Amino acid sequence: MFTLIYRLLFNKHFLMLLLVANFLGTIYGYYWYKGQLSNTPWYFWPFVPDSPTATLFLCVLIVLILIKKHSGLIDALTFTTLIKYGVWAVIMNFLYFIEIGYVTNVGLMLICSHSLMAVQALLFVPHMHIKMRDLFITAIWLFHNDVIDYVYMQYPKYGSLDRFAEHIGYCSFWLTVIVLVLLFILVSPRERPL
């Protein structure tokens, strides 16, 4: 069963479909942040739209697979950011539902789309190969992003949840630790020529 799924996943036509879907989602994601980005200093821009940047990494990974190339750093960034920001957004939406007292259609759409981000990260694990330097650079990127988000307060704004920013930042730190541990376990770093 899993062999069939992976054979389908790495079929050129299916990869093209995934690429188009994720590319469109990435564009929509950056558009979603246009209001916040317009009020953000330019030097923080790369660290504000977390989810679209994660799907952009996935688009690059898919293109690399299609042209039979490989980058351990892209593998590591794709895996960790898809899971971290996919899970983060799902948690934020559930918390937002609790905060406002009802469920929104937009929130449900965000839960579905961000859950799929995390699922896609896991589906691509058989393709991924990283080295220790890829893990190290990815850890720097993620922790740096957490600092920009919760020390410089450039985190993705989420309505009335802003008042819980310190707690959300703390959880975000531990999400970073968890995804790095998952990366190490599921995509074991190995020193080998690529």
Side-chain angles (χ1 to χ4, degrees), residues 3-183:
T3 307
L4 181 63
I5 291 170
Y6 289 123
R7 209 175 290 153
L8 171 65
L9 179 62
F10 294 105
N11 173 284
K12 180 181 176 182
H13 301 293
F14 186 72
L15 284 172
M16 289 296 295
L17 182 64
L18 270 184
L19 177 61
V20 170
N22 280 286
F23 183 71
L24 293 175
T26 299
I27 292 170
Y28 177 72
Y30 283 119
Y31 176 77
W32 177 278
Y33 280 97
K34 71 178 169 50
Q36 184 173 345
L37 288 171
S38 67
N39 296 314
T40 301
W42 65 268
Y43 45 85
F44 287 135
W45 286 355
F47 307 103
V48 173
D50 298 324
S51 295
T53 301
T55 55
L56 180 61
F57 288 141
L58 178 59
C59 289
V60 173
L61 181 132
I62 293 171
V63 167
L64 289 173
I65 292 171
L66 287 169
I67 63 172
K68 300 189 183 334
K69 299 286 184 188
H70 184 265
S71 166
L73 181 58
I74 291 297
D75 288 350
L77 287 168
T78 300
F79 179 86
T80 55
T81 59
L82 283 175
I83 293 179
K84 178 179 177 178
Y85 299 116
V87 170
W88 183 92
V90 169
I91 292 169
M92 290 304 104
N93 278 282
F94 278 119
L95 290 175
Y96 186 65
F97 294 163
I98 292 167
E99 178 74 6
I100 64 175
Y102 60 92
V103 175
T104 67
N105 289 333
V106 171
L108 289 175
M109 179 273 293
L110 290 171
I111 286 171
C112 290
S113 62
H114 286 77
S115 295
L116 286 173
M117 285 170 55
V119 168
Q120 287 182 104
L122 295 172
L123 288 175
F124 279 92
V125 165
H127 165 78
M128 296 178 175
H129 303 284
I130 64 170
K131 295 183 177 182
M132 281 305 295
R133 71 167 181 247
D134 303 319
L135 178 64
F136 181 72
I137 293 168
T138 298
I140 291 172
W141 172 271
L142 291 172
F143 284 122
H144 176 72
N145 202 3
D146 286 341
V147 169
I148 297 297
D149 282 354
Y150 298 103
V151 173
Y152 292 95
M153 306 309 283
Q154 298 302 318
Y155 58 89
K157 304 300 182 207
Y158 221 83
S160 57
L161 294 180
D162 281 357
R163 63 196 181 100
F164 302 112
E166 300 88 4
H167 305 294
I168 294 169
Y170 179 74
C171 291
S172 186
F173 165 81
W174 281 107
L175 265 175
T176 295
V177 171
I178 290 167
V179 297
L180 289 169
V181 169
L182 277 175
L183 178 66

